[in-house]
Amino acid sequence: VMGFQDFQLGDFPGFSQWVGFKHFQTMFADKYFGLAMRNTLVISALKMFIGFPLPIFFAVLLNEMNFQPLKKTVQTVSYLPHFISWVVCATLMFDLMSTDGGAINEFLMWIGVVKEPIGFFTEGKYFWGITLCTDIWKELGWNAIIFISAITSISQDMYEAADVDGATRMQKILHITLPALKPTIMILLILAIGGVLNTGYEQQLLMSNDAILNYSDVLDTYAYRYGLKNGMYSYGTA
């Protein structure tokens, strides 16, 4: 209701002045809304086409590891970053990618890839890649858990029959493991597509700054900035 009204603090919700589609017209005419929509769709597409398949690949690789202590160690280390808050994660990324002694810039200069530090957080063209990489690092192991669980439910009789028939390890992956994972993959893919406009909030808000706003602003941060920071409650609701 507030999206169709001119709501002000102190008003009782639903009893403010009605303005119809005024806020929606303003929104679609605002170029920054277009940029926020573009960024949302691009980041979502990157996470969909790159971030979604990686946990499947990772789960299959873990399943193929025969040395159990190493397998459990890798799995544990991979899902621990999920429990790190985005506040800590963003601070860590700022330190690693800093132009003043950041480990990544120092390494790139040491191997001769660049001659001077790269401004990862001052040039917008790097932000989408940073968002994707940090999201993969943080969520890869956690997202792989459900696929690992699905793999463990596959009957071992099929693998034994495949061994008798002389199937290679790759053939068993292609013809047993992946087909068995298909129902799980489809359900999670449908859920991921349903959340395509919900690409994140904390990550973009904490890792963004005014210099790269044209690349970092997404729908959630756009609504927050206008609706709460600027006090445009009805516009933010719209």
Side-chain angles (χ1 to χ4, degrees):
V1 173
M2 284 172 56
F4 298 93
Q5 296 180 328
D6 188 14
F7 179 82
Q8 302 294 329
L9 283 180
D11 291 353
F12 189 78
F15 290 87
S16 302
Q17 179 185 357
W18 289 87
V19 294
F21 289 97
K22 172 187 173 182
H23 300 303
F24 293 90
Q25 293 171 345
T26 303
M27 178 175 65
F28 287 114
D30 183 14
K31 69 174 184 178
Y32 294 107
F33 171 77
L35 290 173
M37 178 64 77
R38 180 202 65 178
N39 297 336
T40 300
L41 294 176
V42 170
I43 294 173
S44 291
L46 289 173
K47 291 182 178 180
M48 184 78 65
F49 292 109
I50 300 177
F52 182 80
L54 283 179
I56 305 171
F57 181 68
F58 182 67
V60 172
L61 288 181
L62 275 180
N63 183 61
E64 294 300 314
M65 294 179 66
N66 295 321
F67 188 54
Q68 289 300 317
L70 179 60
K71 179 179 179 179
K72 292 180 179 180
T73 301
V74 171
Q75 185 177 355
T76 302
V77 170
S78 68
Y79 73 65
L80 282 178
H82 170 79
F83 300 99
I84 300 175
S85 73
W86 276 115
V87 176
V88 177
C89 182
T91 304
L92 181 62
M93 292 302 110
F94 284 136
D95 288 340
L96 288 175
M97 299 182 186
S98 170
T99 55
D100 185 19
I104 293 178
N105 271 314
E106 291 292 327
F107 176 73
L108 292 176
M109 289 190 293
W110 179 64
I111 63 175
V113 175
V114 296
K115 294 183 179 179
E116 55 184 25
I118 300 173
F120 289 106
F121 290 101
T122 56
E123 298 184 47
K125 61 183 180 181
Y126 297 113
F127 186 81
W128 293 342
I130 293 172
T131 301
L132 175 65
C133 292
T134 51
D135 187 75
I136 290 173
W137 168 75
K138 195 171 185 297
E139 303 296 341
L140 176 65
W142 182 259
N143 291 337
I145 290 177
I146 191 168
F147 296 110
I148 295 171
S149 300
I151 290 173
T152 58
S153 67
I154 301 173
S155 174
Q156 292 301 309
D157 294 341
M158 293 197 292
Y159 290 107
E160 292 171 3
D163 289 331
V164 172
D165 290 337
T168 63
R169 177 172 290 190
M170 182 57 68
Q171 287 175 324
K172 287 187 286 186
I173 291 173
L174 294 177
H175 299 290
I176 299 177
T177 307
L178 291 181
L181 284 176
K182 185 177 177 181
T184 304
I185 294 172
M186 293 306 298
I187 291 172
L188 292 178
L189 181 61
I190 291 170
L191 292 174
I193 293 173
V196 69
L197 293 182
N198 186 24
T199 189
Y201 170 72
E202 284 183 282
Q203 181 184 16
Q204 285 78 10
L205 182 69
L206 293 168
M207 298 176 65
S208 177
N209 59 68
D210 291 340
I212 58 174
L213 196 61
N214 287 348
Y215 290 86
S216 63
D217 202 21
V218 293
L219 291 180
D220 288 355
T221 56
Y222 179 87
Y224 162 73
R225 197 171 69 255
Y226 279 88
L228 292 180
K229 291 186 71 175
N230 294 347
M232 301 166 63
Y233 305 107
S234 290
Y235 184 72
T237 305

